[in-house]
Amino acid sequence: MRYEGNVFRPPSEAYSLIVQVTIGCAHNKCTFCGMYKNEKFRVRDLAEVVEDLKLARAYYNKVERIFLADGDALCLSFDRLRNILTEIKAIFPECERVGIYATPKDIMRKTMEELRELKNLGLGILYMGLESGSDEILTAVKKGVTAQEAIEAGRKAVESGLKLSVTVISGLGGRAKWREHAIRTGQVLSAMDPHYIGLLTLMLVDGTEMKRQVDQGEVELLAPEEVMRETRLMFENTNVTNCIFRSNHASNYVSLRGTLPQDKESLIRGIDRILAGGCHFKQEIFRAL
Ligand code: SF4
């Protein structure tokens, strides 16, 4: 396979074939994100993408999952995505699921019929970064979307039949806004009712605006215990119907997992045990993005 720049994928796509259909992120403005800061966004030629698929076919006997990178590849036009998924179906008939990163705006730009057709062609899961349910925090981190827009996009994705995985970042509002972050994020997740929630913990990346804000004292990072309190408050405000929750990312101080709503109380009790000193937090040197 040929890759350009840094290639990122969700943890659950660790065993997927990663195919870059875009380079970089079309938004590329979030203050905490350094993933594609050095990449100039562009759409890859379809011919190049198909060449990559054929190269991979020659190399792998069986490919069950494919992830379309980079940062927000659902920004591609419906026609381009349809062409890519059609090629995947022809080249990898055994492929069970195609995944893709999607911003709320990417989802809203597609009609319901288009999303359903993409699903019929093999698109299985959208990974959407909510990051926070607080409009104040979304504006501060330049996410380019409101909480209401994120809810509408999330609902639309779920109603189209696609799986929706939503990422949230602990500590994104700093000490000043941890309560607001926890409560509003729980409320927005409840309104979206996704299939998966992934909780990361804020890590500072060199060269980002967030790093500068922390260095200059404009934003105060949460200590691990404060992250736990924030997560607890978020759980209290999260009412979803059937959702797998994971905070097992390398950035997290503690790994939590469960299915909501049935494990909500045990997750909260687990956090209480952690806060009572029943667990060691991951050391900073072992945290990573
Ligand atoms: S967080 Fe996502 S949308 Fe924001 S700049 Fe990074 S890749 Fe782009």
Side-chain angles (χ1 to χ4, degrees):
M1 291 294 291
R2 303 168 297 185
Y3 293 113
E4 192 175 321
N6 295 322
V7 179
F8 298 90
R9 47 123 186 107
S12 52
E13 301 284 345
Y15 301 106
S16 306
L17 172 67
I18 313 290
V19 181
Q20 283 180 299
V21 295
T22 61
I23 304 295
C25 167
H27 179 58
N28 213 12
K29 291 190 180 78
C30 302
T31 62
F32 55 87
C33 175
M35 295 202 298
Y36 305 107
K37 283 284 178 266
N38 300 322
E39 310 294 341
K40 190 170 177 334
F41 175 80
R42 71 179 171 83
V43 174
R44 283 187 82 205
D45 284 345
L46 181 62
E48 268 184 53
V49 173
V50 173
E51 242 175 66
D52 277 4
L53 291 171
K54 288 181 177 163
L55 282 171
R57 175 75 291 172
Y59 197 78
Y60 298 108
N61 288 331
K62 191 170 181 189
V63 170
E64 291 174 349
R65 289 188 177 185
I66 292 179
F67 181 73
L68 302 179
D70 279 338
D72 56 348
L74 197 79
C75 71
L76 289 179
S77 69
F78 167 72
D79 285 344
R80 172 57 62 93
L81 286 165
R82 181 175 52 190
N83 289 339
I84 292 168
L85 290 166
T86 303
E87 293 287 352
I88 287 174
K89 247 189 189 322
I91 298 169
F92 296 98
E94 78 277 21
C95 180
E96 291 166 6
R97 187 180 88 179
V98 179
I100 195 166
Y101 281 133
T103 66
K105 288 197 167 151
D106 298 333
I107 297 170
M108 293 312 286
R109 275 193 283 263
K110 304 280 181 296
T111 67
M112 184 62 85
E113 293 66 38
E114 287 173 342
L115 290 175
R116 288 190 176 135
E117 191 170 341
L118 295 176
K119 177 180 178 291
N120 289 338
L121 286 167
L123 187 64
I125 184 164
L126 305 183
Y127 295 91
M128 187 173 93
L130 168 64
E131 330 303 7
S132 175
S134 154
D135 276 329
E136 218 183 313
I137 297 171
L138 289 172
T139 302
V141 302
K142 301 186 179 162
K143 191 67 197 170
V145 70
T146 65
Q148 187 53 37
E149 286 168 335
I151 291 171
E152 284 167 25
R155 287 310 310 155
K156 189 173 180 181
V158 170
E159 281 163 28
S160 74
L162 289 161
K163 295 280 182 213
L164 177 66
S165 178
V166 176
T167 305
V168 168
I169 305 179
S170 292
L172 194 63
R175 280 209 175 112
K177 297 187 193 128
W178 76 269
R179 281 183 185 279
E180 149 111 8
H181 180 45
I183 294 169
R184 288 295 299 137
T185 300
Q187 291 170 343
V188 170
L189 289 170
S190 307
M192 267 185 200
D193 205 7
H195 303 92
Y196 302 92
I197 297 171
L199 183 69
L200 279 61
T201 302
L202 179 64
M203 292 199 67
L204 297 179
V205 179
D206 284 341
T208 59
E209 195 177 335
M210 179 66 82
K211 171 87 165 58
R212 182 198 60 74
Q213 288 171 326
V214 170
D215 287 347
Q216 296 187 354
E218 293 166 27
V219 174
E220 275 187 288
L221 291 182
L222 299 191
E225 295 79 7
E226 293 170 315
V227 168
M228 287 295 104
R229 276 187 212 104
E230 184 187 87
T231 304
R232 190 186 194 287
L233 188 56
M234 185 191 78
F235 278 137
E236 284 176 4
N237 286 276
T238 302
N239 296 296
V240 287
T241 55
N242 186 17
C243 178
I244 294 176
F245 173 87
R246 295 273 182 273
S247 70
N248 56 355
H249 187 260
S251 64
N252 295 115
Y253 288 108
V254 173
S255 181
L256 299 170
R257 53 173 59 204
T259 303
L260 300 173
Q262 55 265 46
D263 296 332
K264 179 169 160 173
E265 288 310 315
S266 70
L267 283 163
I268 289 174
R269 281 199 303 277
I271 291 177
D272 288 342
R273 278 195 297 279
I274 292 164
L275 288 170
C279 162
H280 293 293
F281 294 113
K282 190 186 290 171
Q283 290 176 29
E284 286 297 336
I285 52 163
F286 295 122
R287 293 176 66 220
L289 279 173

